[in-house]
Amino acid sequence: MSQATDDSLVISSDPLHPANLIPELCRSFYNLGWVTGTGGGICIRTGDKVFIAPSGVQKERIEPSHIFVLPFPQPEPSPHTDRVFLRRPALNLKESACTPLFWNSFDLRDAGSCIHTHSQHAVMATLLWTGPVFTISHQEMIKGVRVAGTGHALSYLDTLVLPIIENTPNEEDLKDSMAEAMTKYPDAAGVLVRRHGVYVWGTDWEKAKTQTECLDYLFEIGVKMKLAGLPTVLN
Amino acid sequence: MSQATDDSLVISSDPLHPANLIPELCRSFYNLGWVTGTGGGICIRTGDKVFIAPSGVQKERIEPSHIFVLPFPQPEPSPHTDRVFLRRPALNLKESACTPLFWNSFDLRDAGSCIHTHSQHAVMATLLWTGPVFTISHQEMIKGVRVAGTGHALSYLDTLVLPIIENTPNEEDLKDSMAEAMTKYPDAAGVLVRRHGVYVWGTDWEKAKTQTECLDYLFEIGVKMKLAGLPTVLN
Amino acid sequence: MSQATDDSLVISSDPLHPANLIPELCRSFYNLGWVTGTGGGICIRTGDKVFIAPSGVQKERIEPSHIFVLPFPQPEPSPHTDRVFLRRPALNLKESACTPLFWNSFDLRDAGSCIHTHSQHAVMATLLWTGPVFTISHQEMIKGVRVAGTGHALSYLDTLVLPIIENTPNEEDLKDSMAEAMTKYPDAAGVLVRRHGVYVWGTDWEKAKTQTECLDYLFEIGVKMKLAGLPTVLN
Amino acid sequence: MSQATDDSLVISSDPLHPANLIPELCRSFYNLGWVTGTGGGICIRTGDKVFIAPSGVQKERIEPSHIFVLPFPQPEPSPHTDRVFLRRPALNLKESACTPLFWNSFDLRDAGSCIHTHSQHAVMATLLWTGPVFTISHQEMIKGVRVAGTGHALSYLDTLVLPIIENTPNEEDLKDSMAEAMTKYPDAAGVLVRRHGVYVWGTDWEKAKTQTECLDYLFEIGVKMKLAGLPTVLN
C-alpha cells in the first residue's frame, strides 16, 4: 500500500475546497439524520483526485486533516485492495468502507461526487417496496432527479425507478451487485440497499446533494403515502 | 431580453434589505423542509422593484449577488417571456421558474411578497383532500391567516378554504390555473398545487412568512387529524 | 392608559436579564415548533415587574427593545383593560394577547414565569382526549412536573391530570375559564386549550421551561400511545 | 461527605476536556430530543476521575463550572451514599441521580463513558416490546454496536438483544436491576428502562455516543416497523 502523503492537498482557505466541503457537508447530513452513528458520507472527485472521509468516525466531527486523497483512475485493476493514495491522515484512520461503491459511480457514470446515507426514509422504502425496485410517479420533486444521475432532468410525467439491492455483511461486497444494478437500470439516479440506505451520485457535489435531497424527499413521501393506503404510481 | 444590470441594487449592509433577506429566509426555509433540493423560495417586492432568487440552485446557499431585480410592473404584457431586468447576476443563472406565479400575487392581490414551498405537509394535504379545496375549521392557528392573504385576519369561527389546482409538467404553465383559482376563491390566502406544494403571499415578507407558517401548521395538523380518523371541519 | 416608559428597564448586558432572555427563549421555542406564525410566547415576572413580548409579531425575531414592562400587581382591578405600563416600545406594538392569561398564573399560583405554546402535540392531545382532562401515568417524565406548577415534584406513581378548556374566538376571553380550571384542579401544572395549545407556569423561567418540556413530551408520547392503541393510564 | 474541591479539575482551554465536552454534548443531545426537561445526560471517566453533570438542571445550559469530579474507584463500598468528591460546584447543586447507574458501567464493563437518554424512540420501544428484551435483526446499523458495549463490533448477521428493566420511583433504585440485567445479558450494549429511557456505554465518549446513536436509530426504525406491521426479527 502506497504511503505517499501530501498534506498540501487538504489545506486550503477556500471553503469550497473538497477537504473543507466534506466536513461541512457531513455536519449538515448529520443534522438531516443521514449519517448518524459513523455511517454514511460523501466523496468528491475533481478530475484525477478523489477526496474521501475516514471510516468509522463521527461524521459530524471530521476535520480537513482527516481526509484521504486517492488518484483517479487507480493504477491497480481495482480500488478494492492495495489502494494507492496521494495523501493519508497522520492518524490511525482507514478510508471509508464505501470507497469501492463510490468508485462504481466514477467508473460507470463518470460522477464527480457520490453520497451514501442511512436515512430512515430510504430504509423504510426498502422495507415497504419488497421487490427489486422503488417506484413513484406524479410528484413535482421527481423533476429534481436526473437520468442516470448525470443526464438531463426527469419530467413530471416520468415514473422514478430505483433498483434495490440486498445488503451484505461487508459493505465492500456490495460493489458487484451495485454495479450490476447500475448496468441493468442504466437510467437510475441511485441505488437503494435493503435494510441499509442509498447511494446517489452527480456530476459535482451540488448536484449529488440536491439529487439526494430530492430522492430522500420521495422516499419519505412515498412511505407516508404507502402507510396511508395511497397508490404511489398512477397510470 | 434586457441585459441592464445594476449591482448596487443588491449590495446593502442592512440585514433587512431584500437581497440580504432572501438568502437568510431561504436558509431558514431549508431547515423547515420547505425548499429542499432546489425547489421553492421567496420573492420580495418593494414598490416598483421585485427581488427574485435564481432557479435550480441550492436554496440554502444563495448569496445576495445571485439575486435578480425586475421592474414592476413589467413593460411587456406578461412577465412570462422576454422579461425586463434591472439587475441580473454575472453568473450563468436563470430567474426562478416561479416568477409568473409570484407575479399573480402582485397583479391579483397587490402582494409585497410571495412564498412557494414543497412542504410535505402541503403535498400530503393535496393527496388526502382529493377534491378542489383543502378545508379546516376550529383551529386557533386559523386566526393567523388573512382574508385573500392581504386583508383582515380570519376569526376562529371561520372555516379556512384553500383551492387546490392540478400540477403541470412546466411550473410556468401553472400561471393561468393559479390565477383562475385566485379569481374563483377571492378570499383564499394561498393556492395549493396537487403533488407539488403551495403558494402563499402577504403585504410584506413578514406577513407572507407568518401566514405560510400558519398554513403549513394547518396542513400538518389537518393531515394528522385525517389519518387519525378525526373530522377536520366541524359544523 | 399609562404612557410611562423607561427604556433602561430593557437594556442590560446580562444575558439572563428578562429583556434578553425572552427573545432568546422565543427563538428556541420557534425551533421546537411551539411559537410558529406569531402565536405563543413567554412572560417573566421578577418581583413587582412583568416582562411581556408584543402581540402578533414573529416570535423568533423579537428584540429586547420590543419588550413591555408592567407593574405587578396592577393598580387597576384587572389587567384586562386600561393596563398600566412601566415601559412600552417606541414602535406601534401591542402587548401579547396572552397577558390576562399570564396574569392568572401570577394571581392564582404566584408564578414567576408563564409559557404559552401552540405545540401540535398539545393540540393533538386535546383532540384525542375528548373530555375535560388529559391524563397519563407511569412515565418517567412525570417526575419533572410539579404539583400546581410551583409545588413539590410529582412522583413516578402519580397520574398526571391537566384540565382542558374550550377555545374562544378572543384569547382574552379564556381568562375566566382558565381561572376556573385552575381553581377546580388546584394541583394541575398547566391548562390545555382545546384546538389551541397549552399554558404552563413555574416559580421562575427555568422551571416554567423545563416543565413545559416535560408536559410537551408527555403530550407527544401520549398521542403516540393512543394512536398505537396502547393504554395511557395504568391502574 | 467529602467537601474537597479543586476547581482546576474543570478549567481547561481544550475543547475535548471532559468539563468542556459534557456541556457541549448535552446541548447536542438536547437538540436530538434525548435530554429534554432536565432528564438524561452523559458522564466521562478518564482513568481515576469521573466527570458528572448536576441533577435536575436544564441539560442544554450546563457550564464547565457545574461539573462534579469523583475519584474512581470510590473509597466507600458503594457510590450510592456518602460519595467522595474531588471537586464540587460552588452552587447549590447535587450530582446526577444517574450516578449509581453510570457506576454500573464502570464496575461491570470498565466503560469510559455512559449516556442516559429519555428518547421517545427508546420509550416507545419499551412499550411495544412488552417482554424482557428488545430485539431486532438485519439492519445495517447493528454493525455500529459493540458486544457488551466495549467489545468487538456486531455483524450484520447478529440479532441485537437489549434487556428491558422495569422503572422504579427513585432512579437510584434501578442500580441493582440494571446490574442484574448486565450480568444476565453479558453481551448487551445497553439497558432499556421501561417507560423511562436507556443507558448506553462505551470505552470512551466517542464510542458511547456513536453507539447511542446506532441504538436510538434501531429503536426508531424498530418502532416504525412494528407499527407498520413488519417483522423486526428475521430467521
Side-chain angles (χ1 to χ4, degrees):
Chain A
M1 188 186 293
S2 165
Q3 296 301 321
T5 191
D6 178 355
D7 286 352
S8 72
L9 290 172
V10 297
I11 299 173
S12 168
S13 60
D14 178 2
L16 295 180
H17 185 284
N20 293 329
L21 267 175
I22 290 175
E24 184 209 334
L25 291 169
C26 282
R27 271 194 298 278
S28 90
F29 295 170
Y30 178 79
N31 291 329
L32 292 170
W34 290 1
V35 300
T36 180
T38 83
I42 180 172
C43 72
I44 296 177
R45 180 171 73 90
T46 55
D48 59 357
K49 289 187 197 66
V50 178
F51 297 79
I52 287 186
S55 165
V57 301
Q58 302 176 83
K59 291 296 186 288
E60 81 280 16
R61 289 171 183 265
I62 297 172
E63 309 264 348
S65 63
H66 301 162
I67 302 293
F68 290 81
V69 188
L70 289 79
F72 180 84
Q74 284 275 302
E76 305 301 317
S78 146
H80 200 118
T81 51
D82 289 324
R83 283 180 201 127
V84 176
F85 294 88
L86 300 172
R87 195 265 169 181
R88 298 169 63 93
L91 303 161
N92 182 21
L93 294 172
K94 203 177 164 321
E95 71 276 19
S96 167
C98 305
T99 303
L101 296 317
F102 290 155
W103 231 263
N104 276 340
S105 76
F106 308 148
D107 286 338
L108 303 179
R109 295 287 185 270
D110 196 24
S113 180
C114 189
I115 292 172
H116 173 47
T117 88
H118 287 189
S119 161
Q120 296 219 346
H121 306 308
V123 172
M124 283 301 289
T126 69
L127 292 168
L128 293 172
W129 275 255
T130 54
V133 291
F134 169 83
T135 54
I136 195 165
S137 79
H138 292 86
Q139 285 287 343
E140 174 70 10
M141 212 51 121
I142 289 172
K143 290 165 59 179
V145 181
R146 288 164 187 273
V147 173
T150 50
H152 62 79
L154 292 182
S155 146
Y156 177 66
L157 300 178
D158 290 324
T159 295
L160 180 93
V161 179
L162 283 201
I164 305 174
I165 61 175
E166 303 303 320
N167 200 28
T168 54
N170 291 310
E171 191 135 14
E172 302 183 329
D173 295 337
L174 291 169
K175 182 178 166 61
D176 290 347
S177 58
M178 178 181 166
E180 209 176 295
M182 291 172 74
T183 306
K184 187 165 173 192
Y185 297 89
D187 289 352
V191 176
L192 283 158
V193 186
R194 186 121 39 218
R195 300 171 174 279
H196 180 157
V198 70
Y199 284 87
V200 183
W201 53 85
T203 49
D204 52 33
W205 70 268
E206 288 101 328
K207 292 206 182 66
K209 170 175 165 291
T210 54
Q211 283 186 107
T212 308
E213 289 174 351
C214 290
L215 289 174
D216 199 61
Y217 178 105
L218 292 165
F219 301 148
E220 183 178 2
I221 203 116
V223 166
K224 286 180 186 168
M225 291 173 74
K226 189 84 108 174
L227 293 177
L230 298 167
T232 53
V233 176
L234 303 184
N235 294 315
Chain B
M1 187 186 293
S2 166
Q3 295 302 320
T5 191
D6 178 355
D7 286 353
S8 72
L9 291 172
V10 298
I11 299 173
S12 168
S13 60
D14 178 1
L16 295 180
H17 186 284
N20 293 329
L21 267 175
I22 290 176
E24 184 209 334
L25 291 169
C26 282
R27 272 194 296 279
S28 91
F29 294 171
Y30 178 80
N31 291 330
L32 292 170
W34 290 1
V35 300
T36 180
T38 83
I42 181 171
C43 71
I44 296 177
R45 180 171 74 88
T46 56
D48 59 357
K49 289 186 197 67
V50 178
F51 297 79
I52 288 187
S55 164
V57 301
Q58 302 176 82
K59 291 294 186 290
E60 81 280 17
R61 288 170 184 265
I62 297 173
E63 308 265 347
S65 63
H66 301 162
I67 302 293
F68 290 82
V69 189
L70 290 79
F72 181 85
Q74 284 275 300
E76 305 301 319
S78 147
H80 199 116
T81 52
D82 289 325
R83 283 178 202 128
V84 176
F85 294 89
L86 299 173
R87 195 265 170 183
R88 297 169 62 92
L91 303 162
N92 182 22
L93 293 172
K94 203 178 164 322
E95 72 276 19
S96 167
C98 305
T99 303
L101 297 315
F102 289 155
W103 230 264
N104 276 340
S105 75
F106 308 147
D107 286 339
L108 303 179
R109 294 287 185 271
D110 195 24
S113 179
C114 188
I115 292 172
H116 174 46
T117 88
H118 287 189
S119 160
Q120 297 220 345
H121 306 309
V123 172
M124 282 301 290
T126 70
L127 293 167
L128 293 172
W129 275 254
T130 55
V133 291
F134 168 83
T135 53
I136 195 166
S137 79
H138 292 86
Q139 285 287 343
E140 174 70 10
M141 213 49 121
I142 290 173
K143 291 164 60 179
V145 181
R146 286 164 188 272
V147 173
T150 49
H152 62 79
L154 293 182
S155 145
Y156 177 67
L157 300 178
D158 290 324
T159 295
L160 181 93
V161 179
L162 282 200
I164 305 174
I165 62 175
E166 302 305 319
N167 200 26
T168 55
N170 291 311
E171 191 134 15
E172 302 183 328
D173 295 338
L174 291 169
K175 183 178 166 63
D176 291 347
S177 59
M178 178 181 167
E180 207 176 298
M182 291 172 75
T183 306
K184 186 164 174 192
Y185 296 89
D187 288 352
V191 175
L192 283 157
V193 186
R194 187 122 39 218
R195 299 171 174 278
H196 180 157
V198 71
Y199 284 87
V200 183
W201 53 84
T203 48
D204 53 32
W205 70 269
E206 288 101 327
K207 291 205 181 66
K209 171 176 166 289
T210 53
Q211 282 185 108
T212 309
E213 289 174 352
C214 290
L215 289 174
D216 199 63
Y217 179 104
L218 291 166
F219 302 148
E220 183 178 1
I221 202 116
V223 166
K224 285 181 187 168
M225 291 172 74
K226 190 84 108 174
L227 292 177
L230 298 167
T232 53
V233 177
L234 303 184
N235 294 313
Chain C
M1 188 186 291
S2 165
Q3 296 300 322
T5 190
D6 178 355
D7 286 351
S8 72
L9 291 172
V10 297
I11 299 173
S12 168
S13 60
D14 178 2
L16 295 180
H17 186 283
N20 294 328
L21 266 175
I22 289 175
E24 184 209 334
L25 290 169
C26 282
R27 272 194 297 279
S28 91
F29 294 171
Y30 178 80
N31 291 329
L32 291 170
W34 290 1
V35 300
T36 181
T38 82
I42 181 172
C43 71
I44 297 177
R45 180 171 73 89
T46 56
D48 58 359
K49 290 187 196 66
V50 178
F51 296 80
I52 286 186
S55 164
V57 300
Q58 301 176 84
K59 291 294 186 290
E60 81 280 18
R61 289 171 183 266
I62 297 173
E63 309 264 348
S65 64
H66 302 161
I67 301 294
F68 290 81
V69 189
L70 290 79
F72 181 85
Q74 284 275 301
E76 305 301 317
S78 147
H80 198 117
T81 52
D82 290 324
R83 282 177 202 129
V84 176
F85 294 88
L86 300 173
R87 194 264 169 182
R88 297 171 63 92
L91 303 161
N92 182 21
L93 293 172
K94 201 178 166 322
E95 71 276 20
S96 167
C98 305
T99 302
L101 297 316
F102 290 154
W103 230 264
N104 276 339
S105 75
F106 308 147
D107 285 339
L108 303 179
R109 294 288 185 271
D110 195 24
S113 179
C114 187
I115 292 173
H116 174 45
T117 88
H118 288 189
S119 161
Q120 297 219 346
H121 306 308
V123 172
M124 283 301 290
T126 69
L127 293 167
L128 293 172
W129 275 255
T130 55
V133 290
F134 168 84
T135 53
I136 195 166
S137 79
H138 292 85
Q139 285 286 343
E140 174 70 11
M141 213 51 121
I142 290 172
K143 290 164 59 179
V145 181
R146 286 164 188 273
V147 173
T150 48
H152 62 79
L154 293 181
S155 147
Y156 177 67
L157 300 178
D158 290 324
T159 295
L160 180 93
V161 179
L162 283 200
I164 305 174
I165 61 175
E166 302 304 319
N167 200 27
T168 55
N170 292 310
E171 191 134 15
E172 300 183 330
D173 295 338
L174 291 169
K175 183 178 166 63
D176 290 348
S177 58
M178 178 181 166
E180 207 177 296
M182 291 173 75
T183 306
K184 186 165 173 193
Y185 297 90
D187 288 351
V191 175
L192 282 158
V193 186
R194 187 118 42 213
R195 299 171 174 277
H196 180 155
V198 71
Y199 284 86
V200 184
W201 53 84
T203 49
D204 52 32
W205 69 269
E206 289 99 328
K207 291 206 181 64
K209 171 176 166 289
T210 52
Q211 282 186 108
T212 308
E213 289 174 351
C214 290
L215 289 174
D216 198 63
Y217 178 105
L218 292 165
F219 302 149
E220 182 178 2
I221 203 117
V223 167
K224 286 181 187 170
M225 290 172 75
K226 190 84 107 173
L227 292 177
L230 297 167
T232 53
V233 176
L234 302 184
N235 294 314
Chain D
M1 188 187 292
S2 165
Q3 296 300 321
T5 190
D6 178 355
D7 287 352
S8 73
L9 290 172
V10 297
I11 299 173
S12 168
S13 60
D14 178 1
L16 295 180
H17 185 284
N20 294 328
L21 266 175
I22 289 176
E24 183 208 335
L25 291 168
C26 281
R27 272 194 297 278
S28 90
F29 294 171
Y30 178 79
N31 291 328
L32 291 170
W34 290 1
V35 300
T36 180
T38 82
I42 181 171
C43 71
I44 297 177
R45 181 171 72 90
T46 55
D48 59 356
K49 289 186 196 66
V50 178
F51 297 79
I52 287 186
S55 165
V57 300
Q58 302 176 84
K59 291 295 186 289
E60 81 280 16
R61 289 172 182 264
I62 298 172
E63 309 264 348
S65 63
H66 302 162
I67 301 294
F68 290 80
V69 189
L70 290 79
F72 180 86
Q74 285 275 301
E76 305 301 318
S78 146
H80 199 117
T81 52
D82 290 324
R83 284 181 200 126
V84 176
F85 293 89
L86 300 173
R87 195 264 169 182
R88 297 170 63 94
L91 303 161
N92 183 22
L93 294 171
K94 201 177 166 321
E95 71 277 20
S96 167
C98 305
T99 303
L101 296 315
F102 290 154
W103 231 264
N104 276 340
S105 75
F106 308 147
D107 285 338
L108 302 179
R109 293 288 184 271
D110 196 24
S113 179
C114 188
I115 292 172
H116 174 45
T117 88
H118 287 188
S119 161
Q120 296 219 347
H121 306 308
V123 172
M124 283 300 289
T126 68
L127 293 167
L128 293 172
W129 274 255
T130 54
V133 290
F134 168 84
T135 54
I136 194 166
S137 79
H138 293 86
Q139 285 286 342
E140 175 70 9
M141 213 50 122
I142 290 172
K143 290 163 60 179
V145 181
R146 287 163 188 274
V147 173
T150 49
H152 61 80
L154 293 182
S155 147
Y156 177 67
L157 300 178
D158 290 324
T159 295
L160 180 93
V161 179
L162 282 201
I164 305 174
I165 63 175
E166 302 304 320
N167 200 28
T168 55
N170 291 310
E171 191 134 16
E172 301 183 329
D173 295 337
L174 291 170
K175 182 178 167 61
D176 291 346
S177 57
M178 178 181 167
E180 208 176 297
M182 292 173 74
T183 305
K184 187 164 173 193
Y185 296 90
D187 289 351
V191 176
L192 283 157
V193 186
R194 186 119 41 216
R195 300 169 174 278
H196 180 157
V198 70
Y199 284 86
V200 183
W201 53 83
T203 48
D204 52 33
W205 69 269
E206 288 100 328
K207 292 205 181 65
K209 171 176 165 290
T210 53
Q211 283 185 108
T212 308
E213 289 175 351
C214 290
L215 289 174
D216 198 62
Y217 178 105
L218 291 165
F219 302 148
E220 183 178 2
I221 202 115
V223 167
K224 286 181 186 169
M225 292 173 74
K226 190 83 106 174
L227 292 177
L230 297 167
T232 52
V233 176
L234 303 184
N235 295 315

